[in-house]
Amino acid sequence: EIVLTQSPATLSLSPGERATLSCRASQSVSSFLAWYQQKPGQAPRLLIYDATNRATGIPARFSGSGSGTDFTLTISSLEPEDFAVYYCQQRSIWPPITFGQGTRLEIK
Amino acid sequence: EVHLVESGGGLVQPGGSLRLSCAASGFIFSNYDMNWVRQAPGKGLEWVSYISSASTIIHYADSVKGRFTISRDNAENSLFLQMDSLRAEDTAVYFCVRVVTPHSHDINLGYWGQGTLVTVSS
């Protein structure tokens, strides 16, 4: 089973700042990595798939990079609605499909 | 617009059973693989089960294998999860999830229902 480790666990930033979230895989997942955003009481929303592709309707301030074992989700300039929990997920070797433990992005 | 609406959750005693349903609309249900993903209270996401568009491929997480059964009815645009021998650790919100791409096993989880809460407790 591929284990995904996200860092940091919590990130405290202010609106307008740049956010950089990390996801590391226990073995290579090629580019088969996705990112999700989840707000309290809501279902997760797909942001990025296949490491770099924005999902439909996702603003351009969200970008993904990386391949192999190291991946990054970048939010170029934080908007108030971006404060949420973010998860990475791999589909390279499955089952099982696995998720990271999440990064909480909170307002500083 | 894609709509996924789960139902069937509730309170059940350990060892009991529940059947979750997911009603799909706004897309050609029979063209898409589907999944169940769960989230325990205050915890992260855990994939539970996958079913291909024609039900020819089915997978389960080890934690539910032998106890849960996924199925679908393409004529009724519905996805199901039969949950037997329930345990306290199965307590979670269960999400019905559609993949992004039709006729593909890409497992990019593009569309999520709002979830249904299953509580296993005596």
Side-chain angles (χ1 to χ4, degrees), chain A residues 66-88:
Chain A
S67 66
T69 60
D70 290 295
F71 299 85
T72 300
L73 173 69
T74 301
I75 310 171
S76 59
S77 179
L78 285 166
E79 297 288 341
E81 62 268 27
D82 298 336
F83 292 91
V85 179
Y86 292 83
Y87 295 95
C88 57

Side-chain angles (χ1 to χ4, degrees), chain A residues 33-34 36 38 41-46 49-50 56 87 89 91 94-101, chain B residues 35 37 39 43-47 50 59-61 95 100 105-114:
Chain A
L33 189 108
Y36 300 83
Q38 188 179 30
Q42 296 185 17
R45 176 174 70 148
L46 176 66
Y49 64 94
D50 294 348
T56 302
Y87 295 95
Q89 170 245 323
R91 65 176 185 90
W94 71 282
I97 297 161
T98 53
F99 293 89
Q101 82 280 16
Chain B
N35 295 265
V37 175
Q39 187 170 36
K43 302 298 184 182
L45 301 171
E46 180 187 16
W47 170 78
Y50 159 92
H59 293 299
Y60 298 98
F95 296 102
V100 170
H105 303 316
D106 66 8
I107 315 300
N108 288 313
L109 304 172
Y111 295 89
W112 298 62
Q114 282 305 300

Side-chain angles (χ1 to χ4, degrees), chain A:
Chain A
E1 172 177 327
I2 294 179
V3 176
L4 299 178
T5 302
Q6 293 186 239
S7 61
T10 303
L11 184 58
S12 300
L13 293 170
S14 301
E17 290 193 293
R18 181 184 187 91
T20 303
L21 288 67
S22 174
C23 178
R24 176 164 288 179
S26 59
Q27 63 187 91
S28 176
V29 298
S30 185
S31 294
F32 299 126
L33 189 108
W35 290 94
Y36 300 83
Q37 176 194 67
Q38 188 179 30
K39 298 178 181 179
Q42 296 185 17
R45 176 174 70 148
L46 176 66
L47 299 175
I48 301 288
Y49 64 94
D50 294 348
T52 62
N53 299 298
R54 272 191 303 278
T56 302
I58 301 304
R61 64 180 181 274
F62 291 92
S63 64
S65 63
S67 66
T69 60
D70 290 295
F71 299 85
T72 300
L73 173 69
T74 301
I75 310 171
S76 59
S77 179
L78 285 166
E79 297 288 341
E81 62 268 27
D82 298 336
F83 292 91
V85 179
Y86 292 83
Y87 295 95
C88 57
Q89 170 245 323
Q90 68 83 24
R91 65 176 185 90
S92 177
I93 300 175
W94 71 282
I97 297 161
T98 53
F99 293 89
Q101 82 280 16
T103 289
R104 180 178 305 278
L105 178 56
E106 64 176 26
I107 300 177
K108 187 173 183 180

